[in-house]
Amino acid sequence: RTQRIPTLMAHVIPFRGTLYDPATVGDVRQVVAPPYDIIDKQLQKVLHDRNQHIVIRLELGYDHPGDGPSNNKYTRAAAALKEWLGKGALRRDAQPAVYYHTIEYRPPYSAPGTPTRLFKGFLATMQLEEFGSGKILPHENTRAAAKTDRLHLLEACRANFSPIISLYSDPQNEVLALLERATASEKPRIDFQDDEGFRQRLWSVTDAGVLDRVTTLMETKPLFIADGHHRYETALNYRRARRQEAGNPAGPQPYDNVFMLFASLEDKGLTVLPTHRVLTTKLPGAAEVKNQLAKACDILPIPWAAGKEPEVRREFLSAVHSRGQSAPVFGMALHNEQTYYLLTLRPDQRPSAAASPRDRLDVSLLQQHVVTTLCPTQQEQEAILYTKDAHEALDWVLKGTGTAALLLNATKVAEVQAVASAGERMPHKSTYFFPKPLTGLVLNVMEG
């Protein structure tokens, strides 16, 4: 009988990571930072002021008056990277490795006393694959402006600062078990509590036998991008441009690979948070809003009297979650209304069993039946604010920052996998994977 040979999928490549040298920069926790795309202007300044070697000075610099093609935040980042490498603030490891990484954390917005969770993954590079290959699957749509910014940074620095997060299926936990055994008796290279109180640990695995086994195991697994679609598409565009410039050289080049954090779909330490919508455009009165939505939703009002809002809010949020386990249920709050609303999609509006995985998602149903009803134009939809904090969404509406809050239940990891496997894309801001890896623990400096 002919033995079936698994189709080769993800080509994971151990690499010589670039890490901060504590002997030069001091406490590593002072030079790492959250991912650039969750940093607002206020936090950007706090972090820039924290340390002269902090990684945000590379990844999220400031625009200056008079900036031009030869002097801008991207060229300044490249100059800083070169300087830090030259004086030893950053040092490239001598041996290729994969970097086993764990984060002990409490899920956001959890009740006091909630047990911590342990996220496990590993950092490595991966050979870039086009999306049509079936070896790496996106699940979310991207926007052009973010890709332009990341491309300018990549062209200037020739380095990946933040890892893309990708998921793979490993029901037997073979890959992570292998890395756990390889690091069980070793002291982590990095071990500290970050600004959120999460424990960050990192080990480097250089044993050739272990690395061979990890890469072999991963070669049978398709990958699902969980976070970093913009950066992955940017890496593809950068590779095309570099190859064209060089006349399509034979053999692998540094820009053929991209930096990733690999996590198992089955890892109980992975949390997916919902991304709530807050509308900012003018809406008709509450009666008309309810009339418009009543065509698709059963609407249950939950009023609150003066002084009772916090108590009613808790009941309302609990109802959104509990009722949402058996049907598509959304929460809604309207500005100047002392009432919360439960919106339950009517049975005749729900997708059939034959509908695509994308069309069955709560976030798709909210978009189709609620968002497009209240915000029919593209301009109105682009003015929507997003937050993973339900309380923040409701507070924004109470104080008038928004005209309506629309609350969702979280998309399940299995649903993300189903959408990606079907070759579909979720609506913008569908998922928020947690925890996010810090930037600066390991960098992938490709050239320079």
Side-chain angles (χ1 to χ4, degrees):
R1 190 174 65 175
T2 304
Q3 184 178 1
R4 183 178 177 274
I5 300 174
T7 304
L8 293 185
M9 301 300 272
H11 185 34
V12 172
I13 303 168
F15 74 116
R16 291 171 56 205
T18 298
L19 286 77
Y20 279 105
D21 184 355
T24 303
V25 302
D27 188 352
V28 171
R29 82 187 73 194
Q30 299 301 316
V31 291
V32 296
Y36 76 98
D37 53 357
I38 63 171
I39 295 174
D40 59 20
K41 294 291 186 186
Q42 183 179 357
L43 181 56
Q44 184 184 19
K45 183 178 188 316
V46 169
L47 293 171
H48 267 263
D49 293 345
R50 178 177 286 182
N51 192 288
Q52 63 175 327
H53 292 118
I54 193 164
V55 72
I56 193 176
R57 291 175 178 260
L58 304 177
E59 179 144 81
L60 194 63
Y62 285 117
D63 291 309
H64 292 166
D67 277 356
S70 62
N71 185 25
N72 52 59
K73 63 183 177 182
Y74 309 112
T75 61
R76 287 190 287 272
L81 177 60
K82 184 177 180 180
E83 177 193 343
W84 298 358
L85 287 165
K87 69 181 184 183
L90 289 169
R91 294 188 185 276
R92 196 175 189 193
D93 279 350
Q95 291 179 272
V98 301
Y99 298 85
Y100 179 53
H101 181 34
T102 66
I103 307 171
E104 187 176 356
Y105 71 101
R106 278 193 173 81
Y109 326 118
S110 52
T114 300
T116 60
R117 295 183 185 179
L118 187 65
F119 170 83
K120 303 172 185 177
F122 67 95
L123 294 152
T125 60
M126 181 200 127
Q127 182 177 300
L128 283 162
E129 298 284 354
E130 298 289 343
F131 285 139
S133 70
K135 298 180 181 182
I136 186 154
L137 304 169
H139 78 270
E140 200 168 270
N141 289 316
T142 56
R143 295 189 171 179
K147 287 185 280 191
T148 301
D149 166 63
R150 293 297 97 182
L151 182 58
H152 289 329
L153 186 64
L154 185 52
E155 287 172 335
C157 296
R158 303 190 173 189
N160 304 137
F161 301 130
S162 292
I164 293 160
I165 305 175
S166 62
L167 305 176
Y168 62 92
S169 182
D170 187 8
Q172 305 305 316
N173 196 39
E174 292 179 281
V175 176
L176 291 178
L178 192 64
L179 295 174
E180 281 185 291
R181 288 195 297 272
T183 57
S185 61
E186 293 185 15
K187 183 180 177 183
R189 290 181 66 174
I190 293 174
D191 187 353
F192 64 83
Q193 278 202 324
D194 65 18
D195 291 351
E196 301 294 325
F198 301 165
R199 188 177 183 185
Q200 304 274 346
R201 284 181 288 181
L202 183 92
W203 295 259
S204 55
V205 179
T206 57
D207 181 274
V210 174
L211 298 183
D212 284 347
R213 182 64 181 146
V214 168
T215 55
T216 300
L217 287 169
M218 292 298 295
E219 278 183 343
T220 61
K221 303 179 186 300
L223 296 175
F224 307 88
I225 295 180
D227 188 68
H229 289 79
H230 292 99
R231 278 168 282 147
Y232 192 87
E233 290 186 27
T234 296
L236 287 172
N237 291 334
Y238 177 67
R239 180 180 68 170
R240 291 185 199 111
R242 290 295 306 278
R243 282 200 162 276
Q244 191 171 2
E245 287 170 13
N248 294 312
Q253 304 297 319
Y255 48 76
D256 289 334
N257 307 328
V258 71
F259 184 33
M260 281 194 172
L261 172 64
F262 299 86
S264 169
L265 281 160
E266 293 82 13
D267 180 18
K268 300 299 184 187
L270 182 66
T271 299
V272 185
L273 301 173
T275 304
H276 310 296
R277 276 78 170 132
V278 177
L279 313 187
T280 60
T281 50
K282 184 175 174 59
L283 297 176
E288 177 58 23
V289 167
K290 289 184 285 183
N291 183 54
Q292 290 178 9
L293 297 181
K295 298 167 187 173
C297 299
D298 293 321
I299 302 173
L300 176 65
I302 305 177
W304 45 273
K308 294 292 186 179
E309 191 275 336
E311 178 184 338
V312 173
R313 178 187 290 202
R314 284 193 296 273
E315 295 171 0
F316 166 62
L317 294 177
S318 177
V320 171
H321 177 70
S322 59
R323 294 185 180 215
Q325 303 310 302
S326 55
V329 174
F330 315 111
M332 182 174 74
L334 300 172
H335 183 52
N336 287 333
E337 282 285 302
Q338 288 187 254
T339 303
Y340 292 132
Y341 299 93
L342 287 175
L343 310 178
T344 303
L345 199 63
R346 291 182 170 178
D348 63 331
Q349 299 295 315
R350 297 174 195 172
S352 70
S356 72
R358 181 189 193 276
D359 290 343
R360 292 199 296 267
L361 295 171
D362 277 8
V363 67
S364 298
L365 297 171
L366 179 77
Q367 179 71 21
Q368 177 186 348
H369 295 288
V370 181
V371 173
T372 54
T373 299
L374 300 180
C375 298
T377 70
Q378 186 68 25
Q379 184 179 5
E380 289 173 316
Q381 292 189 28
E382 288 180 356
I384 292 173
L385 304 175
Y386 300 92
T387 175
K388 58 187 181 296
D389 185 348
H391 291 286
E392 183 173 57
L394 297 177
D395 289 343
W396 282 350
V397 171
L398 282 178
K399 68 183 183 183
T401 301
T403 52
L406 302 172
L407 308 184
L408 285 149
N409 285 300
T411 303
K412 298 177 178 65
V413 174
E415 291 176 320
V416 176
Q417 183 180 11
V419 170
S421 296
E424 299 180 312
R425 302 279 188 108
M426 291 183 179
H428 183 60
K429 297 284 187 183
S430 294
T431 54
Y432 190 94
F433 287 89
F434 197 88
K436 302 285 189 187
L438 290 176
T439 299
L441 296 174
V442 185
L443 310 179
N444 177 35
V445 179
M446 294 179 281
E447 302 168 65

